[in-house]
Amino acid sequence: MEYNIRQLSFGEVLDRSLRILIDNPVLLIGVSLILGLTAAMPRTGIAVGILSLVYVSVVTPLVLAALTSAVSDTYLNKPVTIASAYQEAWSIILPVIGTYLLFYLVAILIVGGIFGLAFVFGTFAHSKGGGAVFALLFLVSGAIVVYLGIRWSLIGPIMIVERRFAMKAFSRSSELITGAWWRTFGILLVAGLIVRVPMGVLQIFWASIPVLGVILSCLVAAIATAYSGTAVVVYYFDRRCRVEDFDLRRLAERIRSETVQGSAAITGAPSA
């Protein structure tokens, strides 16, 4: 199915993301299913800690890259399968992992740095208002991380579509988000709530079912991941249409291609 890539309103971004998921459920949910399996993982133990580290640093970036590749190719009307999406992601897995780890490192340094300064100056040890200062610093560090998280929220599609990584991906995402931080925050927040809230409620009802409950939990987690990832890609192209007329350039390229093919058909010459 071909989608009309253009500037979208707030609601249209969410609606089109859902439409893409409904049109391609096997592809997108299939790609996301590995992340959904974490719903069945145990929550305690040393082995679980090691698996969680591998999950965050390797599995999550791989699945998100494959999902972004699948959605991007679908949105651009290119042929794609679950296998080809993972092959695409695997071909650039090292810079993708490095970019996500850099993001985590920045977040840790911000939070750790702020609280580190508080301890260095003895804020908590000697101040009667230590609790209030702690709460304030917690809010400040959280606000900074959220702000940067939104500014850098498009690094996934940027890595897949544009092949920009690390600081270049962060800079590019900031460029696309400039002037639309609150809109981006709202779209990502609502996109997360649309699927996760009702599915979280449903999980309460089947949590006690031994086998079926686990299967359903894995499935809904995969659906939530697929929808959220799709919304990010759709919004990425929306920002490109607004910032650099991506839709007009794409239309011009299509017209030029059709003109070349038409001329080749008339003259009998092979098209370029």
Side-chain angles (χ1 to χ4, degrees), residues 138-162:
F138 179 81
L139 292 175
V140 170
S141 60
I144 294 174
V145 171
V146 170
Y147 173 78
L148 292 178
I150 298 301
R151 293 279 297 183
W152 297 342
S153 59
L154 301 182
I155 60 174
I158 287 170
M159 288 189 289
I160 297 300
V161 178
E162 303 182 29

Side-chain angles (χ1 to χ4, degrees), residues 78-154:
K78 297 180 180 179
V80 59
T81 63
I82 295 176
S84 68
Y86 270 102
Q87 288 172 356
E88 180 76 7
W90 186 254
S91 68
I92 54 173
I93 188 60
L94 291 181
V96 167
I97 289 176
T99 301
Y100 279 116
L101 289 180
L102 181 59
F103 176 85
Y104 300 146
L105 178 61
V106 170
I108 291 172
L109 289 177
I110 290 173
V111 176
I114 290 178
F115 285 111
L117 287 175
F119 281 107
V120 167
F121 289 101
T123 300
F124 304 119
H126 305 292
S127 174
K128 293 181 179 179
V133 174
F134 180 88
L136 177 61
L137 290 174
F138 179 81
L139 292 175
V140 170
S141 60
I144 294 174
V145 171
V146 170
Y147 173 78
L148 292 178
I150 298 301
R151 293 279 297 183
W152 297 342
S153 59
L154 301 182

